[in-house]
Every structure is written in C-alpha cells, then in structure tokens.
Amino acid sequence: MSITIKDVAKLANVAPSTVSRVIADNPRISEETKKRVRKAMKELGYHPNLIARSLASKSTSVLGLVMPESADVIFQNPFFSSVLQGLSESAHEKMYALQMTTGKTKEEIYEEVVQMVQGGRVDGLVLLNSRVEDKLMSYLMNSNFPFVVIGKPYKNEEQITHIDNDNFRAAREVTEYLLALNHDRIAFIGGSLELVVTVDRLLGYEKALRDANITLRDEYVVHGEFLEESGRGAILELLKLDEPPTALVVTDDLVALGVMHMLDEMEMTVGKDISIVSFNNVLLARMAQPPLTSIDINIFSLGYEAAKNVILKIENPREPVKRIIIPHKLVVRSSCQKLE
Amino acid sequence: MSITIKDVAKLANVAPSTVSRVIADNPRISEETKKRVRKAMKELGYHPNLIARSLASKSTSVLGLVMPESADVIFQNPFFSSVLQGLSESAHEKMYALQMTTGKTKEEIYEEVVQMVQGGRVDGLVLLNSRVEDKLMSYLMNSNFPFVVIGKPYKNEEQITHIDNDNFRAAREVTEYLLALNHDRIAFIGGSLELVVTVDRLLGYEKALRDANITLRDEYVVHGEFLEESGRGAILELLKLDEPPTALVVTDDLVALGVMHMLDEMEMTVGKDISIVSFNNVLLARMAQPPLTSIDINIFSLGYEAAKNVILKIENPREPVKRIIIPHKLVVRSSCQKLE
DNA sequence: TTGTAGGCGTTATCAG
DNA sequence: CTGATAACGCCTACAA
C-alpha cells in the first residue's frame, strides 16, 4: 500500500485537491500551505501515481518509437543507435519518456501501435519509417494522432510532418564529386527500392550523370538490404561486367564495408583500383581500411528533431505540418582516387 | 470521446463487468455471450484503455530499461543495439512493452527510476549495469521491486539476479590462447576499472599469466573508456616501453579497432608484427582489417535472458535469485600469429 | 484560497 | 453464469 495524495492531505491538514494543486504548482494556493504540503510529501516520501494521473488527465508524457518492420536489419546498423540517442536526448529535455514497439512483422507492429494509441499509453509517435507503411500512416492520420516520421513518407508527403535529409541532393553531390575525379563508369549500390531513401538517392545519382551527359546503364545499378552481406553480392555482379565501374556510390556505410571486404578478397585496393563513396558516416566509415569517404547525414539530429517535433504537435494540436531537412556534408577520406 | 466498456456493454445488452470478463476470457462466461460481446466490440472498434486497466489492476505490462550513466558511450557501442534486440524480442514474446530511461547523470537516472517505480509505470526493470550503482540498487532491493541486472553487480551479488558472462574464464582462455602461440609479452587494454566486467577480465588475464609462471608487469596494463579513441592512446604508451608487448588482450572490439588504427598509422601489421584478441565479437570484429579474433559473448542472449527473467520475477514474486551465465566462445580469425 | 464531489475506464468483490 | 457496486489515485469543476 503506497502513499497517496490522501495521506499527504491528512498529514498536512488540507483536502486532497489542495495537494493535487500543490503538485501542479497552482498559483492560487498560498505559499504557506504549499510549503506545509511539500513538507508532508517529503516526510512521507510521496511520489504521484503516474497511472492515475494519466487516467484523469488523459495524457502520459510518453513518446512511442515505432520500429520498422524486419527490425533485425535496423538493429545491426549503427544508424539506429544514433537516432535513438537523438530521440532520447530530446525527449529527456522535454521530460517525456520513451517507449518502443517490439513487434517484428508489419501486422504485429500495426496492432501494437493501435493498442498504444487507443490504449492511451503514449501521447505521440515517432515512426522510423523504413518500408512503405500505408495502413499505419493512414490510421494515424485518420485518428488525428500526433506523429512524425523520420525519412520521407511514401505518400501524403505534404500532410505528414517528417524529418529527412535531402537525399536527392546528397547523392547528386557525391556523384559529382566522383565525376570531378574523372570517373565516368560509376555504379550505384543501393538498399531496397521499397525505401524512399533509396529511390531519392538513386534519382540524385542519375541526375548527376545525366547532367554530365553520361548514359545511364541498368547494369550499373544493383540493390540489396542495408546489411553488410548485400554489399558482397552486389560487387561480384558488377565486376563481372565487360566494362566494370571504376567508382561506386553505395547508400550505406555497412554495405560499403561489405563491398570493401569482398574487394579485398579479390585483391583489389580501394582508393586505387576502385573508388567508393558511401552514406551515413557512422563510426565504421572512419574506422574502415582505408577510411571511407562518406556523406554525414547527421543522424543524431534526425532523432533529436523528430522527438522535438512530435512534442510540439502534442502540446499544440494546431501545429502546422512541417518538412524538416537536416543538412548533410561530404566527409572526404581516402577511399577515392583521381583518375588521369 | 472514445469507445469504452460501457458502450460495448450497452450494445451487447450485458453489464460492463461482463464485458470486462470477456476481455479477460473468463471461463465462467458462456460462449454465447462471449460471442455476442465480441461482436459488439468489433462493431464499435473497441480497444481497452490500458491506463485505466493499469490503475485498476496495478500492473502495466511494461518493462523499464535503465541505461548506464554517461549513456553516450554506450550508444556508440554496437553492444547496446544487440542487447536491446534481445530485450525487445523477449519482451515481445511475453507481451510486455519496453520503456527506457533517458537521463544522463547518475542523479537524473535515479530520479527517473524512482518515478517509474513509485509512479507505477513499469512492472519491472532491467539494469544495464555499467558503473557501480549503489544507491539505485539498494533502493530497488529495499522496495522489493522486481529487477535484474545485465553484468555483475558490484556488491550484493548473491541477492541480485543477474545475467552475465564468465568474464574471468573468458579472459583466462584468450590469454592462454596467446600463450599457446608462444607469446609471453602480453599486454591488457581494458575499459574503466570501475566496471566489474573490466576487473573480471583483468583477473582472468592475470591468472593465466601466473599459471604460466610469467611475471605480471604493471606497465602492461592500461585502461580507458569503451570507445575507439581510448585504444589509440593506450597503444602509444605500450609501444614506448623498452620491451613492448607482442600481443594484446583488449576488452572491447571498439577499443581494439582504435588500437588497430593507431598501429596502422605506425606501419605495424596486426597479425604479424603484433597479435590482438578482443571481446564481444560485434560485427566490426568480423569486418576489421584483418578480421579480429574475438570472444563472442552472445550479447543478444544477455538481453533476451534479462527480459525473460524480470518477467519471471514479476509474475512470481517468490522466484529465487539467480545468476545466469551466458556461454562465450573464442572466434579465431586472423589477428594473431604464432611466434617461433 | 480551499474543500466537496464526481468522473476518468477498468477490475474485483459480492451477491444472486 | 451474470449484474451491481466499490475501489484504483488523481484531476477539476463548482461551491464555499
């Protein structure tokens, strides 16, 4: 039997409602009684029952994090940790707690989210939008529940607040970087095409080539998972070609690492025999051998801004829809060489 | 205004309490009314209010994850992702949600935990026990609240259920492995000595040397953070010695990577000029150049068993204290060489 | 400035 | 097998 507001009230010789008001720091309570009540709280070691409070006030101060389907892939990627760190820091500043979904399939996650939302367990959601997630988003839009997505929503882009990089431009820039190094046989190794981020980056790559009057070749574009394994398969295909590429745009550091490993087994030297640029600039990029030139997309900020913006939405339901673009930056290391 | 149990009751022509019983699948309700009630729930799109349920039943089906202080270090380490994945999977199987602390300092985290516990927000806790955390643990023990720790508690080991590896033995084994390769100048690069895991591994290392009749040298033992940077500083010190070590036992893959990087800059070849074994066997170990020989400590299982065992404690308050040892395994790759 | 009373949506206890 | 009714602990009109 734990200490309730009534126990405090009794000890302080006031009504329970007064105690409640003191907790909320209601200005209409005299300083004197506030002091008395606070003393009683201390004495009894009182801590408010957050559940009861939530029930009465219909708000929880909890943020939900919706993991993408096939979460095992994301758990492997350092990207996730950094987003989480950003979310955590932001949530903490605004005194929100963080709760995450644990489901694996799309259906499980959908059910979990509905439970969270209808069950009143969270005040808002951050979607780690990986796959196209139609059903879930339309549900949330219809129920008018506060949420933001990290990445670009597959559709209804104009009606959903989202935090993203300008992936199109970033990809164009890295490709132009390679072009400036005199490469013209540049291949693209991407994640699943179901992901908007992959598409954006692919388009940026294509745009840069087209602007440079270089014909696009289908054989130069391959796809896989955001995992190290997929990099290995991809590179094999590319090197079998009659005119193998001299440079690679890889959409993820982890994949790039797989590529490099494979290349190494084939006795090709990255930064000499072949050039690589990749995306995300996680710790691995710096630690790779040779260190990878990579686009830093500021992952922490993606998370930080995401949490900040759901909270904005929660606290002001008429907060406008926003599209927040986190800046990126090319970090040049030594995985690329200038061609003569 | 959302659908409540009363609305369902009205539509199904029963009392609210009956609806509640149907939700709980109480066997004393006739199949027929169950069917009727369920139909009504479907029709109205009813979802139970979990907050209200929690208030009435005094249980939340939520697990709390207590992050270590200075969480930024752990966020950088792939170790964390894997533990989280294990926790998530286990929690999901038992239909528990997962909520994590977001505080940064020891004090903030303590306050957060007290709020969670007294506030009734979680049914149990998993402590990612990094630093010595006296105050928090004694609070939890005194309040008799269900919790387990991942790693070995600094004290009260016999009274706290914890999930750990046999780090002493693991360290002894890797050291013996190096000894078998004819190394006798073996150094130890460890994380903070405040961490029990570091101490255990150091002791194992020392034991192996002593058993082999090799004198311990203080200069051969250096410490840092569980971060890549600390590896760099550590190795510099060691190589300045008159008799620099020929082999290194490093307590974390990330640190080992830092070491390797530094070594590389100094034009020393790992696996030839110097041998390295490390701990954890995260993805990076496999991807390193050369691939790192590392002790696989089965991180996923640490998380999985942790969640499983708090839940056991929650559901049976008289569950005995347990010490669960997750098996480890030396994964030999190519970072070590046999000395002639 | 403070107290009273009703309600938040469930579950649990007791009757019947 | 089912229905009232009283908690659960807090918040918030409305009164005083």
Side-chain angles (χ1 to χ4, degrees):
Chain A
M1 202 73 162
S2 63
I3 317 292
T4 80
I5 221 173
K6 287 185 188 165
D7 302 315
V8 178
K10 212 167 287 171
L11 184 62
N13 252 314
V14 292
S17 52
T18 303
V19 178
S20 173
R21 289 185 185 109
V22 172
I23 294 171
D25 204 18
N26 188 317
R28 303 188 313 190
I29 299 287
S30 75
E31 274 310 317
E32 205 191 336
T33 41
K34 272 188 188 173
K35 229 167 253 170
R36 207 168 69 243
V37 171
R38 287 197 181 115
K39 184 163 155 261
M41 299 199 303
K42 269 257 163 62
E43 255 182 71
L44 296 174
Y46 168 78
H47 281 267
N49 181 320
L50 301 176
I51 300 291
R53 171 182 294 181
S54 291
L55 183 58
S57 68
K58 291 176 170 310
S59 86
T60 59
S61 292
V62 177
L63 252 39
L65 170 62
V66 182
M67 305 285 289
E69 121 183 81
S70 70
D72 35 332
V73 173
I74 195 132
F75 272 123
Q76 299 290 344
N77 201 317
F79 175 89
F80 172 66
S81 275
S82 296
V83 175
L84 195 56
Q85 190 178 7
L87 289 168
S88 172
E89 187 149 330
S90 189
H92 182 244
E93 282 174 11
K94 300 281 169 38
M95 312 263 267
Y96 275 72
L98 207 52
Q99 182 167 327
M100 46 186 283
T101 59
T102 60
K104 306 183 100 164
T105 69
K106 193 183 282 201
E107 290 69 33
E108 279 176 357
I109 293 173
Y110 180 80
E111 270 316 310
E112 254 183 289
V113 171
V114 173
Q115 293 249 335
M116 275 180 163
V117 171
Q118 311 260 5
R121 267 228 194 285
V122 296
D123 291 347
L125 292 173
V126 173
L127 307 204
L128 220 44
N129 169 45
S130 163
R131 308 284 144 167
V132 183
E133 241 312 8
D134 256 354
K135 199 173 157 205
L136 183 52
M137 296 230 197
S138 20
Y139 162 70
L140 291 173
M141 290 180 71
N142 288 337
S143 40
N144 202 13
F145 191 81
F147 76 103
V148 305
V149 351
I150 293 183
K152 180 153 59 166
Y154 178 61
K155 57 182 211 178
N156 299 116
E157 200 188 315
E158 285 77 25
Q159 298 156 63
I160 296 176
T161 289
H162 58 282
I163 328 291
D164 198 8
N165 301 104
D166 189 341
N167 284 304
F168 174 83
R169 215 177 110 206
R172 211 185 56 201
E173 284 170 15
V174 292
T175 311
E176 282 164 355
Y177 169 75
L178 289 172
L179 289 167
L181 295 178
N182 297 328
H183 290 274
D184 58 355
R185 281 162 29 206
I186 304 174
F188 178 92
I189 302 181
S192 160
L193 263 181
E194 285 176 39
L195 302 180
V196 184
V197 53
T198 306
V199 176
D200 282 356
R201 289 177 183 170
L202 178 55
L203 291 175
Y205 154 85
E206 292 179 343
K207 170 75 168 143
L209 291 187
R210 238 184 274 110
D211 286 355
N213 280 316
I214 294 178
T215 344
L216 305 178
R217 313 193 195 185
D218 283 351
E219 333 72 275
Y220 273 10
V221 176
V222 292
H223 291 285
E225 268 304 339
F226 272 165
L227 275 183
E228 163 263 321
E229 282 83 28
S230 45
R232 305 169 67 89
I235 192 66
L236 276 178
E237 282 188 47
L238 287 172
L239 292 183
K240 273 193 313 214
L241 296 175
D242 287 343
E243 291 192 303
T246 61
L248 307 173
V249 173
V250 186
T251 61
D252 186 280
D253 290 330
L254 218 53
V255 179
L257 222 65
V259 168
M260 290 174 74
H261 226 230
M262 201 66 221
L263 250 19
D264 206 70
E265 286 176 22
M266 304 171 78
E267 315 240 306
M268 291 186 69
T269 308
V270 173
K272 227 180 113 199
D273 302 326
I274 193 164
S275 293
I276 299 185
V277 293
S278 75
F279 281 82
N280 292 10
N281 192 35
V282 297
L283 186 60
L284 284 96
R286 180 153 51 90
M287 300 310 294
Q289 212 47 267
L292 266 173
T293 293
S294 184
I295 288 262
D296 190 325
I297 59 169
N298 222 326
I299 306 175
F300 179 91
S301 296
L302 285 172
Y304 188 90
E305 290 297 321
K308 185 175 142 193
N309 280 281
V310 225
I311 294 175
L312 244 39
K313 261 191 164 7
I314 292 169
E315 295 180 348
N316 173 16
R318 302 172 330 111
E319 183 75 15
V321 172
K322 282 192 224 151
R323 175 186 184 180
I324 293 166
I325 296 299
I326 304 294
H328 60 264
K329 193 175 89 205
L330 180 66
V331 178
V332 176
R333 296 203 183 83
S334 34
S335 59
C336 300
Q337 200 195 21
K338 183 155 188 163
L339 249 45
E340 294 316 318
Chain B
M1 200 74 162
S2 63
I3 317 295
T4 79
I5 221 173
K6 288 184 187 165
D7 302 316
V8 177
K10 214 168 286 172
L11 183 62
N13 252 314
V14 292
S17 49
T18 303
V19 177
S20 174
R21 288 185 185 109
V22 173
I23 294 169
D25 204 18
N26 187 316
R28 301 188 316 188
I29 300 287
S30 75
E31 273 312 314
E32 206 189 337
T33 40
K34 272 188 187 174
K35 227 168 255 169
R36 207 168 69 242
V37 171
R38 286 194 183 119
K39 186 162 152 260
M41 299 199 303
K42 270 258 163 60
E43 254 181 72
L44 296 174
Y46 168 79
H47 281 267
N49 181 318
L50 302 176
I51 300 292
R53 172 181 295 178
S54 290
L55 183 59
S57 68
K58 291 174 169 314
S59 86
T60 59
S61 292
V62 177
L63 252 40
L65 171 62
V66 182
M67 304 285 289
E69 122 184 79
S70 70
D72 35 331
V73 173
I74 194 134
F75 272 122
Q76 299 290 344
N77 202 317
F79 174 89
F80 172 65
S81 275
S82 296
V83 175
L84 194 56
Q85 189 178 7
L87 289 168
S88 172
E89 186 149 330
S90 188
H92 183 244
E93 282 174 12
K94 300 278 169 39
M95 310 264 269
Y96 275 72
L98 208 52
Q99 183 168 326
M100 45 188 280
T101 59
T102 61
K104 306 184 99 165
T105 68
K106 195 182 279 200
E107 290 69 31
E108 280 177 355
I109 294 173
Y110 180 80
E111 270 316 310
E112 254 184 288
V113 171
V114 174
Q115 292 251 335
M116 275 180 161
V117 171
Q118 311 260 6
R121 267 225 192 289
V122 297
D123 291 347
L125 292 172
V126 174
L127 307 205
L128 220 45
N129 169 47
S130 162
R131 308 282 145 168
V132 184
E133 240 314 8
D134 254 356
K135 199 173 157 207
L136 184 52
M137 296 227 197
S138 20
Y139 162 70
L140 291 173
M141 288 181 72
N142 288 337
S143 38
N144 203 13
F145 190 81
F147 77 101
V148 306
V149 351
I150 294 182
K152 179 154 57 166
Y154 178 62
K155 58 183 212 177
N156 298 118
E157 199 188 315
E158 286 77 26
Q159 297 156 63
I160 296 177
T161 289
H162 58 283
I163 327 290
D164 197 8
N165 301 104
D166 189 339
N167 284 304
F168 174 84
R169 215 178 111 204
R172 209 185 58 202
E173 284 171 15
V174 291
T175 311
E176 283 165 355
Y177 169 74
L178 289 172
L179 289 167
L181 295 178
N182 297 328
H183 290 273
D184 58 356
R185 282 159 31 204
I186 304 173
F188 178 91
I189 301 181
S192 160
L193 262 182
E194 285 177 38
L195 302 178
V196 184
V197 53
T198 305
V199 177
D200 281 356
R201 289 178 184 169
L202 178 57
L203 291 175
Y205 154 87
E206 292 179 345
K207 170 76 167 145
L209 291 186
R210 236 183 277 110
D211 285 356
N213 281 316
I214 294 179
T215 343
L216 304 178
R217 311 194 196 185
D218 283 350
E219 340 64 281
Y220 273 10
V221 176
V222 292
H223 291 284
E225 267 305 338
F226 272 165
L227 276 182
E228 165 261 322
E229 281 83 28
S230 44
R232 306 170 66 90
I235 192 66
L236 276 178
E237 282 188 47
L238 288 172
L239 293 183
K240 275 191 312 212
L241 296 175
D242 287 342
E243 291 193 302
T246 60
L248 308 172
V249 173
V250 186
T251 61
D252 186 280
D253 290 330
L254 218 51
V255 179
L257 223 63
V259 168
M260 289 175 75
H261 226 230
M262 201 67 223
L263 251 18
D264 206 70
E265 285 175 23
M266 305 171 76
E267 316 240 306
M268 291 188 67
T269 308
V270 172
K272 227 180 115 199
D273 302 325
I274 193 163
S275 292
I276 298 185
V277 293
S278 75
F279 281 82
N280 291 14
N281 192 34
V282 297
L283 187 59
L284 284 97
R286 181 154 49 91
M287 301 308 294
Q289 209 47 267
L292 266 172
T293 293
S294 185
I295 287 263
D296 190 325
I297 60 168
N298 223 326
I299 306 176
F300 179 91
S301 295
L302 285 172
Y304 188 91
E305 291 298 322
K308 184 174 142 192
N309 281 280
V310 225
I311 295 175
L312 244 40
K313 261 190 162 15
I314 293 169
E315 295 180 347
N316 174 16
R318 304 175 324 113
E319 184 75 16
V321 172
K322 283 191 224 153
R323 173 182 186 187
I324 293 166
I325 296 298
I326 304 293
H328 60 264
K329 194 175 88 204
L330 180 66
V331 178
V332 176
R333 297 205 182 84
S334 32
S335 58
C336 300
Q337 200 196 21
K338 184 154 188 162
L339 250 43
E340 293 317 316

